[in-house]
Amino acid sequence: QVQLVESGGGLVQAGGSLRLSCAASGRTFSSSTMGWFRQAPGKEREFVAAINWGGGRTYYADSVKGRFTISRDNAKNTMYLQMNSLKPEDTAVYYCASAPRGLAYNYWGQGTQVTVSS
């Protein structure tokens, strides 16, 4: 069983930065694709970024490309999302997810709130 716990959310002014963390339990972290998703009020959950098991491949939604950076530390079973130049439209609950062996995202965290004020 995999458990994911996000942290690092909060309130920040537009143009500011936040760093989210996702701590994973279990033995599958280093062989899993990991992803960040977000859900704004009244909207569907959307993909933000993903990183392959070794960290050599990353993927971003167009809306965050150039502003957000995803990374991981397999020795610490932790994934990160560095968010710079934040905009009010980035306001959402951010979730981390795990896809063991790069298949479906079967495991999800409880989410962390990010609020960007204008």
Side-chain angles (χ1 to χ4, degrees):
Q1 188 72 11
V2 175
Q3 290 187 327
L4 304 174
V5 179
E6 303 96 335
S7 61
L11 174 64
V12 64
Q13 289 188 332
S17 298
L18 282 174
R19 189 194 196 201
L20 305 183
S21 298
C22 173
S25 66
R27 299 181 178 181
T28 62
F29 181 83
S30 60
S31 61
S32 298
T33 293
M34 298 295 296
W36 287 100
F37 294 77
R38 67 186 182 186
Q39 187 167 20
K43 296 187 177 181
E44 293 187 352
R45 187 174 299 186
E46 65 175 1
F47 168 77
V48 175
I51 187 167
N52 77 326
W53 66 272
R57 294 183 181 179
T58 57
Y59 310 86
Y60 297 94
D62 287 343
S63 59
V64 306
K65 203 170 293 184
R67 300 187 297 121
F68 291 10
T69 302
I70 190 171
S71 62
R72 65 190 296 162
D73 185 338
N74 287 346
K76 295 182 178 180
N77 273 20
T78 303
M79 174 181 64
Y80 306 97
L81 185 68
Q82 178 66 44
M83 306 186 295
N84 298 330
S85 302
L86 283 161
K87 304 175 181 180
E89 51 263 44
D90 294 318
T91 294
V93 177
Y94 284 71
Y95 299 89
C96 69
S98 170
R101 300 188 302 280
L103 302 176
Y105 285 105
N106 289 330
Y107 302 100
W108 294 81
Q110 82 290 346
T112 185
Q113 176 71 47
V114 171
T115 303
V116 184
S117 63
S118 57

